[in-house]
Amino acid sequence: GENVEQHPSTLSVQEGDSAVIKCTYSDSASNYFPWYKQELGKRPQLIIDIRSNVGEKKDQRIAVTLNKTAKHFSLHITETQPEDSAVYFCAASNGGGADGLTFGKGTHLIIQP
Amino acid sequence: NAGVTQTPKFRILKIGQSMTLQCAQDMNHNYMYWYRQDPGMGLKLIYYSVGAGITDKGEVPNGYNVSRSTTEDFPLRLELAAPSQTSVYFCASSYSTSGQGYEQYFGPGTRLTVT
C-alpha cells in the first residue's frame, strides 16, 4: 500500500518568515495530494490540495508543489503569522482522493513572535 | 448545515466491552470515512463507504465493523474493545465519483479510552 513520509516533525520559524514542509510518497499511481491543518483538540481542515496533472498551486500565502518523478510534494507558507501555528498533515491517494487518504505523521509548526 | 456530527465526544470503555460510534452528515455526500488518530501520529483509514449499502476496508479494519443503511449515517462498531483501540476517531464525508475525490469534511472526533 501507499506510504507517506513527512519532514520535519517540528518546525520553528520567526513570524514573517517562510515555512516549508516536505512529503514523499511510495505509490507512483497516487494522483491526489491534500494538505490538512489541525489545531490542538480540533478536527483536520483542508488548506490546499493538488492533483497529479498540476505541478504547482497557490492560494494567497499558501502554495503546494508536486514533483511526480521524484514522488515528493511540498507545502510552502509565506509571511507566516501566529495563527499559522498548528500541526500540518500531508496525504496521498491513488483513487483521486475518493477511496480514502494515506496521511503523513504530521509537522508541528511553531511561529515565534 | 450541521456538517459532520459525531457522538459521543468522549467515552471510556473496559476491555471486552462493545460500543458504537455514531456519525451523521447532512451535506448529501455519497462517500463517508472512518479514521483513527493515535497520539502524535497521522490519521489512518479504518473503513469507507461509497454509498448506502456499500462499504470497504481501509488500512486498519481489524476489530471494527461498519454499516451504511442510509446516505446520512455511517456508524462504527467496536465489538471487543482492546487497549490498542484507544485513540481519537474521526468520521469524514465527501462528494466524490470513482477516481475523483473532493474535499473530505471531518467531524469533531470521538476520544475513546479502553482500560
Side-chain angles (χ1 to χ4, degrees):
Chain A
E2 175 67 278
N3 184 50
V4 177
E5 299 283 342
Q6 183 172 347
H7 300 280
S9 56
T10 304
L11 178 61
S12 181
V13 302
Q14 291 295 123
E15 182 178 349
D17 287 351
S18 295
V20 180
I21 302 170
K22 299 181 180 182
C23 289
T24 60
Y25 60 98
S26 62
D27 187 349
S28 57
S30 287
N31 54 13
Y32 176 66
F33 308 92
W35 285 89
Y36 283 83
K37 176 183 180 182
Q38 187 178 32
E39 297 175 350
L40 188 63
K42 300 289 182 65
R43 73 192 79 188
Q45 292 194 297
L46 181 73
I47 56 171
I48 195 166
D49 57 11
I50 192 167
R51 299 189 188 272
S52 58
N53 58 348
V54 175
E56 184 176 0
K57 184 176 178 181
K58 284 184 179 179
D59 183 2
Q60 299 183 358
R61 298 186 297 110
I62 294 173
V64 56
T65 57
L66 172 64
N67 183 326
K68 286 187 294 184
T69 303
K71 290 191 283 188
H72 70 69
F73 57 112
S74 300
L75 177 71
H76 305 252
I77 305 175
T78 59
E79 300 172 10
T80 53
Q81 301 169 1
E83 54 265 35
D84 294 330
S85 292
V87 179
Y88 291 80
F89 293 95
C90 62
S93 166
N94 64 8
D99 298 341
L101 302 170
T102 300
F103 284 82
K105 291 184 178 180
T107 295
H108 185 194
L109 178 61
I110 302 166
I111 308 300
Q112 303 277 8
Chain B
N1 282 358
V4 181
T5 58
Q6 291 183 239
T7 56
K9 285 186 171 57
F10 305 94
R11 183 72 185 267
I12 298 174
L13 276 184
K14 293 190 186 303
I15 295 171
Q17 286 186 322
S18 301
M19 77 163 294
T20 299
L21 283 69
Q22 301 291 346
C23 173
Q25 54 92 8
D26 62 359
M27 297 176 282
N28 203 29
H29 285 166
N30 52 348
Y31 279 64
M32 295 187 74
Y33 311 85
W34 275 106
Y35 294 91
R36 59 177 286 175
Q37 184 176 31
D38 298 334
M41 301 291 284
L43 286 76
K44 292 188 176 181
L45 182 67
I46 304 171
Y47 271 96
Y48 70 100
S49 169
V50 306
I54 306 170
T55 62
D56 210 345
K57 295 178 181 179
E59 182 184 355
V60 290
N62 291 344
Y64 307 94
N65 279 299
V66 294
S67 59
R68 183 110 180 259
S69 57
T70 68
T71 300
E72 296 78 18
D73 300 297
F74 190 40
L76 177 72
R77 178 93 178 147
L78 283 71
E79 289 295 346
L80 290 170
S84 60
Q85 293 178 305
T86 294
S87 192
V88 179
Y89 291 83
F90 286 101
C91 179
S93 72
S94 74
Y95 171 74
S96 298
T97 58
S98 178
Q100 182 82 0
Y102 297 93
E103 178 177 356
Q104 292 188 20
Y105 292 84
F106 284 82
T110 293
R111 186 174 296 274
L112 176 67
T113 302
V114 182
T115 62

